[in-house]
Amino acid sequence: MAGGDKLPLLGLGTYKVKDPQTISAVIDVALSSGYKLIDTAAGYRNEALIGQALRELCPKHNLLPEEVFITSKLAPCDHGYEKVIAAYEKSLRDLGRPHPLDLYLIHWPGVQGKKREDPSNAALRRESWKAMEELYRRGKVKAIGVSNYTIKHLEELLQYAAITPAVLQSECHPFLRQADVRSYCAAHGIFFQAYSSLGTGDLLHNSTVEEMARKYGRSVAQILLRWAVQQEMGRLLVLGRDQG
């Protein structure tokens, strides 16, 4: 990432994972498999459970909690300068992190409850980014970025940003390649991180992908992940789901 911090290329996504036993089990498997990145969000409502699981499981895997890269995200209902500051502090408390988060993202460009065409969305996005920059300047967070932004949103952001987002997180797989967005990110020093690398489940049963898997003697998931690896972008996987 810009700034010199290293973002692991493969991470564990936790979308829709809310059961304490399931969270503990998937994080245990992830850490034992070498994962060093856990991705969550205020909107997932599992930050406190993830924090608890990490405190319990890190000693088992001979890890310090700060050795696990943690990403969280601002909920769409918390856009606006003061709300961002308060939301970040709550995420930090819920995760039980005594030190800065590794990466904090604006989850969605739109504000919850507002129509897409509402002009106040753009004004609140700007306020939110200024608050993100302030968190970064204070040393509260190691890196800041955005999620689900289009090129239009990125162009708008870069017009006023004092700090370029380190990361854009977005859905990406062979049937949603996001080539234009990825090229834009590469040109502006923004690291592209994919979620839903296996699609939303439908790609696992796609006849073309199944044929390739038979041809190369691999599973469908391996074919899809190989494609992602060849694109040189980060990937988030939800064990058993793969959605972001």
Side-chain angles (χ1 to χ4, degrees):
M1 293 187 298
D5 289 311
K6 292 184 178 180
L7 175 68
L9 284 177
L10 186 62
L12 175 70
T14 60
Y15 178 58
K16 290 188 176 180
V17 185
K18 298 179 183 179
D19 175 71
Q21 287 77 23
T22 303
I23 284 177
S24 181
V26 297
I27 290 179
D28 194 14
V29 170
L31 294 179
S32 67
S33 301
Y35 282 61
K36 293 290 180 65
L37 187 163
I38 308 294
D39 179 275
T40 182
Y44 298 170
R45 299 182 182 179
N46 59 14
E47 290 173 311
L49 293 172
I50 288 171
Q52 180 181 343
L54 285 172
R55 288 191 296 275
E56 293 172 355
L57 292 168
C58 279
K60 173 183 174 181
H61 296 280
N62 297 313
L63 291 169
L64 297 173
E66 56 267 28
E67 292 181 286
V68 180
F69 191 107
I70 300 293
T71 300
S72 192
K73 310 181 199 74
L74 178 80
C77 61
D78 288 326
H79 272 284
Y81 191 95
E82 297 299 334
K83 280 188 167 185
V84 170
I85 302 296
Y88 176 80
E89 295 291 351
K90 183 178 186 303
S91 287
L92 206 59
R93 288 194 304 272
D94 286 349
L95 285 160
R97 301 282 282 192
H99 40 77
L101 286 186
D102 298 286
L103 178 62
Y104 194 51
L105 307 177
I106 294 177
H107 202 161
W108 291 92
V111 181
Q112 184 172 314
K114 293 184 181 294
K115 293 183 178 180
R116 183 176 298 181
E117 62 272 16
D118 191 324
S120 66
N121 279 310
L124 285 166
R125 278 196 296 272
R126 181 169 185 158
E127 280 189 37
S128 296
W129 189 251
K130 292 302 178 184
M132 300 281 279
E133 291 179 328
E134 183 61 21
L135 289 169
Y136 179 79
R137 289 193 190 98
R138 291 185 198 170
K140 293 275 189 176
V141 63
K142 295 180 181 179
I144 53 176
V146 293
S147 178
N148 298 302
Y149 270 43
T150 64
I151 290 178
K152 178 182 176 181
H153 296 128
L154 291 171
E155 288 176 336
E156 171 196 280
L157 172 59
L158 293 180
Q159 287 179 359
Y160 53 73
I163 300 171
T164 299
V167 171
L168 168 65
Q169 188 183 106
S170 192
E171 182 178 355
C172 186
H173 46 74
F175 291 175
L176 183 62
R177 299 186 183 189
Q178 302 269 33
D180 53 345
V181 178
R182 287 159 48 204
S183 294
Y184 186 91
C185 286
H188 292 84
I190 302 168
F191 184 76
F192 186 92
Q193 185 182 58
Y195 67 77
S196 291
S197 295
L198 307 183
T200 54
D202 51 328
L203 288 184
L204 293 173
H205 306 288
N206 179 271
S207 59
T208 301
V209 183
E210 287 177 334
E211 182 179 343
M212 291 182 67
R214 286 191 295 270
K215 178 180 177 180
Y216 293 105
R218 296 290 186 267
S219 70
V220 170
Q222 286 175 319
I223 293 293
L224 293 169
L225 292 177
R226 179 63 178 176
W227 179 86
V229 168
Q230 290 174 330
Q231 310 311 304
E232 297 183 345
M233 58 189 177
R235 288 94 62 207
L236 297 175
L237 300 178
V238 178
L239 301 185
R241 283 196 181 88
D242 184 41
Q243 291 179 299

